[in-house]
Amino acid sequence: WGRLTNVPDTIFTIIDSASVINVKNFGAEGDGVTDDLAGINAALNVANSLNKSVYFPIGTYQISSAINIANGVNMIFEYGS
């Protein structure tokens, strides 16, 4: 299992919800227990097709294998995720 963890607290941004894909809307839980791989991959695929960024709200995301991030897809991690 892999773990995506905290980003530095020096990064602040205002997120336009229309320009991002939220991983939790695709089944990722971010509870530190659930395998979030399918939800993250689904969000990444949609973001790639719509030219949007992927947003990770606060949480601990578990992944059971590597994720593939298409060139040009941005990922935004809320502090604490």
Side-chain angles (χ1 to χ4, degrees):
W1 289 74
R3 187 177 287 226
L4 301 175
T5 56
N6 295 349
V7 296
D9 60 359
T10 56
I11 299 173
F12 297 95
T13 187
I14 303 220
I15 298 171
D16 173 14
S17 61
S19 66
V20 299
I21 302 295
N22 187 327
V23 295
K24 289 194 172 186
N25 292 341
F26 290 83
E29 296 291 329
D31 61 8
V33 177
T34 305
D35 183 3
D36 295 311
L37 182 66
I40 292 170
N41 277 334
L44 287 167
N45 289 335
V46 170
N48 185 45
S49 68
L50 298 176
N51 196 28
K52 294 188 177 192
S53 296
V54 177
Y55 171 63
F56 290 78
I58 288 176
T60 300
Y61 296 88
Q62 294 283 353
I63 53 174
S64 56
S65 64
I67 56 175
N68 293 315
I69 304 164
N71 191 26
V73 173
N74 295 312
M75 298 195 307
I76 303 168
F77 295 88
E78 185 173 353
Y79 179 71
S81 62

